[in-house]
């Protein structure tokens, strides 16, 4: 009986620990993922500062970062003028709108997205490849690059959570007024959620540039664990936080 009781005690302990692990492991994984993102952001900022340090006043117009900004602005302007005519091809989303390695920036990492309401911070990678989506948020090619400006709508996609991080797991908790922060190599942009909507995967017209508006649109699969729909969060830029 004593041996049997001892065995039952051990088994009970194992089940208790296993049950606790179900709740603890995702939390730990999410914490580690956020720490990785923060380290990645630190490395990114150091790279940007290094590029800025190489720039003197007389060479500002010819600096690497200034050339990149001009190219991004030109890209956004042309998208709007062309009416985003190439947005219908889903395979083009995987092709980066700009090859950032030409400007000394690794991994096509363009900046960072932060959503305080759901405690999420992700790198923004150009091109919705499976590799980029596994690392963080991805900018959809043929939508505006996230630099702000009238007649822009930057569409940023992320998974509805993975085993290692939440990503857009709780995107459905966002409400009008919630803050979305975009940091790119030049500045920090503040947006506020205006509306949310559930759309069909091929409803391209729902993510087009809206004339006169400066927008960011967040998008993920819906419902959780499936991809039959898309959950969309529309955000408009504000002048202050």
């Amino acid at each position: 009986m004593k041996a049997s009781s001892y065995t039952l005690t051990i088994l009970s302990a194992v089940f208790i620990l296993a049950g606790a692990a179900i709740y603890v492991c995702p939390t730990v994984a999410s914490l580690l993922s956020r720490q990785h993102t923060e380290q990645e952001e630190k490395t990114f900022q150091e790279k940007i500062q290094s590029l800025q340090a190489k720039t003197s006043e007389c060479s500002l117009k010819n600096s690497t970062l200034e050339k990149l900004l001009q190219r991004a602005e030109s890209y956004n302007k042309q998208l709007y003028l062309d009416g985003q005519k190439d947005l219908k091809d889903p395979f083009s989303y995987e092709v980066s709108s700009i090859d950032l390695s030409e400007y000394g920036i690794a991994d096509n990492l363009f900046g960072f997205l932060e959503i305080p309401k759901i405690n999420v911070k992700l790198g923004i990678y150009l091109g919705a490849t499976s590799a980029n989506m596994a690392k963080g948020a991805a900018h959809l090619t043929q939508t505006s690059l996230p630099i702000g400006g009238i007649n822009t709508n930057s569409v940023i996609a992320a998974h509805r959570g993975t085993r290692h991080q939440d990503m857009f797991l709780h995107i459905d908790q966002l409400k009008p007024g919630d803050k979305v922060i975009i940091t790119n190599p030049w500045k920090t942009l503040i947006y506020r959620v205006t509306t949310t909507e559930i759309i069909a995967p091929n409803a391209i017209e729902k993510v087009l540039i809206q004339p006169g508006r400066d927008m960011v649109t967040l998008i993920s699969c819906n419902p959780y664990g499936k991809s039959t729909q898309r959950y969309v969060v529309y955000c408009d830029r504000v002048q202050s936080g």
Side-chain angles (χ1 to χ4, degrees):
M1 290 293 292
K2 288 183 178 180
S4 177
S5 296
Y6 180 74
T7 301
L8 286 173
T9 300
I10 294 296
L11 286 174
S12 297
V14 169
F15 281 120
I16 290 171
L17 289 173
I22 292 174
Y23 295 96
V24 173
C25 286
T27 302
V28 172
S30 182
L31 177 61
L32 291 174
S33 174
R34 188 172 181 88
Q35 289 176 341
H36 173 74
T37 300
E38 288 173 353
Q39 180 57 49
E40 191 176 44
E41 183 178 28
K42 181 181 177 183
T43 302
F44 178 79
Q45 294 296 350
E46 287 173 350
K47 180 61 181 178
I48 298 304
Q49 289 170 8
S50 173
L51 290 172
Q52 290 172 337
K54 294 177 182 178
T55 303
S56 63
E57 288 295 328
C58 61
S59 63
L60 178 61
K61 291 184 179 180
N62 294 316
S63 71
T64 299
L65 286 179
E66 183 63 21
K67 287 179 179 178
L68 175 57
L69 178 59
Q70 290 173 357
R71 185 168 175 187
E73 290 174 338
S74 176
Y75 179 88
N76 286 355
K77 182 179 180 180
Q78 199 59 51
L79 270 183
Y80 178 65
L81 292 176
D82 289 344
Q84 293 175 279
K85 58 183 175 62
D86 295 324
L87 191 57
K88 20 187 122 160
D89 178 11
F91 296 103
S92 69
Y93 303 160
E94 296 191 8
V95 180
S96 172
S97 46
I98 296 176
D99 182 359
L100 294 181
S101 65
E102 296 177 7
Y103 300 87
I105 301 175
D107 299 325
N108 266 348
L109 179 60
F110 195 79
F112 290 84
L113 163 74
E114 184 173 6
I115 312 174
K117 171 73 173 288
I118 57 176
N119 194 31
V120 164
K121 192 170 201 177
L122 299 169
I124 302 173
Y125 298 88
L126 301 188
T129 64
S130 56
N132 285 347
M133 295 286 286
K135 290 185 289 187
H139 165 259
L140 266 59
T141 310
Q142 301 302 326
T143 74
S144 311
L145 287 160
I147 58 173
I150 299 301
N151 302 327
T152 64
N153 182 13
S154 182
V155 181
I156 299 174
H159 286 306
R160 198 72 184 268
T162 69
R163 288 188 302 169
H164 306 294
Q165 54 184 323
D166 288 345
M167 293 192 172
F168 281 179
L169 176 63
H170 302 299
I171 192 174
D172 57 340
Q173 294 181 12
L174 296 179
K175 305 295 181 185
D178 288 336
K179 185 186 293 186
V180 174
I181 305 167
I182 302 287
T183 302
N184 60 41
W186 305 277
K187 55 189 172 182
T188 296
L189 310 172
I190 307 295
Y191 292 80
R192 297 277 181 181
V193 174
T194 53
T195 57
T196 62
E197 190 173 354
I198 295 173
I199 66 173
N202 60 349
I204 298 300
E205 71 281 0
K206 294 289 187 176
V207 297
L208 293 174
I209 295 168
Q210 302 298 310
R213 294 173 71 180
D214 181 341
M215 298 177 62
V216 160
T217 297
L218 310 179
I219 189 166
S220 192
C221 292
N222 190 75
Y224 172 70
K226 297 182 181 179
S227 58
T228 54
Q229 300 169 321
R230 298 290 181 267
Y231 197 94
V232 183
V233 178
Y234 300 102
C235 312
D236 278 89
R237 189 173 169 194
V238 295
Q239 294 306 310
S240 62

